Amino acid sequence: MARADKATAVAELKNEFEGSAAAVLTEYRGLTVAQLKDLRKSLGENAKFAVAKNTLTKIAANEAGVTGLDDLLVGPTAVAFVKGDVVEAAKGLRDFAKANPLLVIKGGVLEGKTLDATEITKLADLESREVLLAKLAGALKAKQSAAAAMFAALPTQMAQLVEALRAKREEAGE
Protein backbone atom coordinates (compact mmCIF):
# COMPACT_ATOMS: atom_id res chain seq x y z
CA MET A 1 0.00 0.00 0.00
CA ALA A 2 1.47 3.36 -1.00
CA ARG A 3 2.19 5.99 1.64
CA ALA A 4 -0.57 8.31 0.37
CA ASP A 5 -3.08 5.46 0.48
CA LYS A 6 -2.06 4.67 4.06
CA ALA A 7 -2.50 8.31 5.09
CA THR A 8 -5.93 8.39 3.49
CA ALA A 9 -6.94 5.12 5.19
CA VAL A 10 -5.75 6.42 8.59
CA ALA A 11 -7.68 9.67 8.09
CA GLU A 12 -10.86 7.77 7.19
CA LEU A 13 -10.50 5.45 10.20
CA LYS A 14 -9.81 8.41 12.48
CA ASN A 15 -13.00 10.11 11.25
CA GLU A 16 -14.94 6.89 11.88
CA PHE A 17 -13.58 6.63 15.44
CA GLU A 18 -14.36 10.29 16.17
CA GLY A 19 -17.86 10.14 14.70
CA SER A 20 -18.91 6.88 16.34
CA ALA A 21 -20.51 6.29 19.71
CA ALA A 22 -18.89 2.86 19.83
CA ALA A 23 -16.48 0.65 17.95
CA VAL A 24 -16.51 -3.15 18.22
CA LEU A 25 -13.50 -5.18 17.10
CA THR A 26 -14.09 -8.62 15.63
CA GLU A 27 -12.08 -11.39 14.09
CA TYR A 28 -13.57 -12.48 10.77
CA ARG A 29 -11.14 -15.26 9.76
CA GLY A 30 -12.92 -17.86 7.62
CA LEU A 31 -16.02 -15.85 6.74
CA THR A 32 -16.99 -15.62 3.10
CA VAL A 33 -17.76 -12.39 1.29
CA ALA A 34 -21.46 -13.32 1.28
CA GLN A 35 -21.39 -13.85 5.05
CA LEU A 36 -19.71 -10.48 5.56
CA LYS A 37 -22.42 -8.91 3.43
CA ASP A 38 -25.08 -10.54 5.62
CA LEU A 39 -23.26 -9.28 8.71
CA ARG A 40 -23.30 -5.73 7.39
CA LYS A 41 -27.06 -6.02 6.84
CA SER A 42 -27.64 -7.41 10.33
CA LEU A 43 -25.88 -4.44 11.93
CA GLY A 44 -28.52 -2.02 10.68
CA GLU A 45 -28.25 1.42 9.13
CA ASN A 46 -26.39 3.07 11.99
CA ALA A 47 -23.31 0.84 11.91
CA LYS A 48 -20.48 0.44 9.44
CA PHE A 49 -18.40 -2.76 9.32
CA ALA A 50 -14.90 -2.16 7.95
CA VAL A 51 -11.91 -4.42 7.47
CA ALA A 52 -8.68 -2.54 8.12
CA LYS A 53 -5.01 -3.23 8.75
CA ASN A 54 -4.15 -3.43 12.44
CA THR A 55 -1.28 -0.94 12.29
CA LEU A 56 -3.43 1.64 10.49
CA THR A 57 -6.26 1.06 12.97
CA LYS A 58 -3.87 1.55 15.92
CA ILE A 59 -2.60 4.82 14.46
CA ALA A 60 -6.11 6.09 13.70
CA ALA A 61 -7.40 5.13 17.16
CA ASN A 62 -4.51 6.88 18.88
CA GLU A 63 -4.99 10.00 16.75
CA ALA A 64 -8.70 9.98 17.62
CA GLY A 65 -7.91 9.67 21.33
CA VAL A 66 -9.21 6.10 21.65
CA THR A 67 -7.01 4.01 23.92
CA GLY A 68 -7.02 0.41 25.09
CA LEU A 69 -7.45 -1.26 21.71
CA ASP A 70 -3.80 -2.18 21.06
CA ASP A 71 -4.10 -5.61 22.72
CA LEU A 72 -7.19 -6.42 20.64
CA LEU A 73 -5.58 -5.59 17.31
CA VAL A 74 -4.03 -9.01 16.69
CA GLY A 75 -4.86 -11.23 13.73
CA PRO A 76 -7.40 -10.38 11.04
CA THR A 77 -9.51 -7.60 12.52
CA ALA A 78 -12.62 -5.81 11.36
CA VAL A 79 -14.23 -2.90 13.17
CA ALA A 80 -17.93 -2.18 13.49
CA PHE A 81 -18.32 1.59 13.89
CA VAL A 82 -21.67 2.34 15.55
CA LYS A 83 -23.16 5.79 15.09
CA GLY A 84 -26.67 5.10 16.37
CA ASP A 85 -28.14 2.62 18.80
CA VAL A 86 -25.21 0.66 20.24
CA VAL A 87 -27.49 -2.05 21.65
CA GLU A 88 -28.96 -2.78 18.21
CA ALA A 89 -25.51 -3.19 16.67
CA ALA A 90 -24.30 -5.34 19.58
CA LYS A 91 -27.35 -7.58 19.16
CA GLY A 92 -26.66 -7.89 15.44
CA LEU A 93 -23.05 -8.91 16.10
CA ARG A 94 -24.00 -11.33 18.89
CA ASP A 95 -26.73 -13.01 16.84
CA PHE A 96 -24.50 -13.27 13.77
CA ALA A 97 -21.68 -14.74 15.90
CA LYS A 98 -24.10 -17.36 17.27
CA ALA A 99 -25.12 -18.37 13.75
CA ASN A 100 -21.55 -18.13 12.39
CA PRO A 101 -18.99 -19.19 15.00
CA LEU A 102 -16.14 -17.99 12.77
CA LEU A 103 -16.97 -14.40 13.78
CA VAL A 104 -15.32 -13.71 17.13
CA ILE A 105 -16.09 -10.55 19.07
CA LYS A 106 -12.80 -9.37 20.56
CA GLY A 107 -13.91 -6.23 22.40
CA GLY A 108 -14.39 -2.59 21.72
CA VAL A 109 -14.83 0.89 23.03
CA LEU A 110 -18.01 2.70 24.07
CA GLU A 111 -17.84 6.45 24.61
CA GLY A 112 -14.16 6.24 25.58
CA LYS A 113 -14.49 3.19 27.87
CA THR A 114 -12.81 -0.03 26.75
CA LEU A 115 -15.09 -3.09 26.73
CA ASP A 116 -14.21 -6.76 26.54
CA ALA A 117 -16.23 -9.39 24.67
CA THR A 118 -18.39 -10.31 27.69
CA GLU A 119 -19.33 -6.67 28.28
CA ILE A 120 -20.39 -6.33 24.66
CA THR A 121 -22.53 -9.47 25.04
CA LYS A 122 -24.13 -7.98 28.16
CA LEU A 123 -24.77 -4.80 26.19
CA ALA A 124 -26.49 -6.90 23.52
CA ASP A 125 -28.74 -8.43 26.18
CA LEU A 126 -30.21 -5.01 26.98
CA GLU A 127 -33.50 -4.06 25.43
CA SER A 128 -33.47 -1.47 22.69
CA ARG A 129 -33.67 2.23 23.45
CA GLU A 130 -37.24 2.44 22.17
CA VAL A 131 -38.42 -0.40 24.42
CA LEU A 132 -36.75 1.14 27.48
CA LEU A 133 -38.31 4.53 26.72
CA ALA A 134 -41.72 2.90 26.27
CA LYS A 135 -41.39 1.14 29.63
CA LEU A 136 -40.41 4.42 31.29
CA ALA A 137 -43.38 6.21 29.72
CA GLY A 138 -45.70 3.41 30.85
CA ALA A 139 -44.40 3.60 34.40
CA LEU A 140 -44.85 7.37 34.47
CA LYS A 141 -48.37 7.07 33.08
CA ALA A 142 -49.27 4.41 35.68
CA LYS A 143 -48.15 6.72 38.50
CA GLN A 144 -50.24 9.57 37.09
CA SER A 145 -53.26 7.28 36.68
CA ALA A 146 -52.94 6.09 40.28
CA ALA A 147 -52.74 9.68 41.51
CA ALA A 148 -55.78 10.68 39.44
CA ALA A 149 -57.74 7.70 40.79
CA MET A 150 -56.82 8.65 44.35
CA PHE A 151 -57.90 12.26 43.88
CA ALA A 152 -61.15 11.14 42.24
CA ALA A 153 -61.83 8.70 45.10
CA LEU A 154 -61.84 11.43 47.76
CA PRO A 155 -65.02 13.23 46.56
CA THR A 156 -66.71 9.87 45.92
CA GLN A 157 -65.98 8.68 49.44
CA MET A 158 -67.15 12.00 50.87
CA ALA A 159 -70.44 11.71 48.96
CA GLN A 160 -70.90 8.14 50.20
CA LEU A 161 -70.25 9.27 53.79
CA VAL A 162 -72.80 12.09 53.53
CA GLU A 163 -75.36 9.66 52.07
CA ALA A 164 -74.75 7.16 54.88
CA LEU A 165 -75.23 9.93 57.50
CA ARG A 166 -78.42 11.05 55.81
CA ALA A 167 -79.78 7.49 55.74
CA LYS A 168 -78.89 7.01 59.42
CA ARG A 169 -80.70 10.22 60.42
CA GLU A 170 -83.78 9.13 58.46
CA GLU A 171 -83.83 5.84 60.35
CA ALA A 172 -83.48 7.65 63.65
CA GLY A 173 -86.38 9.87 62.68
CA GLU A 174 -84.55 13.13 62.62
Side-chain angles (χ1 to χ4, degrees), residues 156-174:
T156 303
Q157 289 175 350
M158 185 64 148
Q160 290 172 348
L161 178 65
V162 169
E163 179 60 28
L165 284 173
R166 188 195 60 75
K168 188 173 185 181
R169 286 191 177 176
E170 274 184 13
E171 287 178 9
E174 293 180 16

Side-chain angles (χ1 to χ4, degrees), residues 4-155:
D5 293 339
K6 288 180 183 179
T8 304
V10 168
E12 288 175 6
L13 288 170
K14 179 184 173 196
N15 288 338
E16 290 293 338
F17 274 114
E18 289 174 342
S20 299
V24 180
L25 278 69
T26 62
E27 182 176 323
Y28 64 94
R29 181 180 296 154
L31 292 175
T32 64
V33 174
Q35 289 172 322
L36 288 175
K37 184 178 178 183
D38 291 339
L39 173 59
R40 286 183 173 98
K41 287 180 185 177
S42 71
L43 290 177
E45 301 174 356
N46 298 323
K48 179 181 177 186
F49 191 75
V51 175
K53 290 185 176 276
N54 291 339
T55 53
L56 300 180
T57 305
K58 283 180 190 177
I59 294 168
N62 290 333
E63 286 182 6
V66 177
T67 58
L69 298 180
D70 292 348
D71 296 338
L72 301 174
L73 291 168
V74 178
T77 304
V79 185
F81 295 103
V82 184
K83 292 182 177 19
D85 188 7
V86 178
V87 174
E88 178 186 343
K91 282 182 183 185
L93 284 169
R94 180 201 58 196
D95 295 343
F96 188 86
K98 281 183 183 178
N100 300 288
L102 294 175
L103 180 76
V104 178
I105 298 172
K106 295 181 178 183
V109 63
L110 173 64
E111 295 177 357
K113 183 183 180 292
T114 306
L115 305 174
D116 62 8
T118 57
E119 291 173 321
I120 292 173
T121 304
K122 287 179 185 176
L123 187 64
D125 292 337
L126 290 175
E127 294 175 332
S128 70
R129 183 176 189 272
E130 291 78 17
V131 171
L132 292 174
L133 288 174
K135 284 185 176 184
L136 176 64
L140 291 174
K141 183 180 177 188
K143 293 291 183 186
Q144 290 176 345
S145 297
M150 183 183 73
F151 290 133
L154 290 175

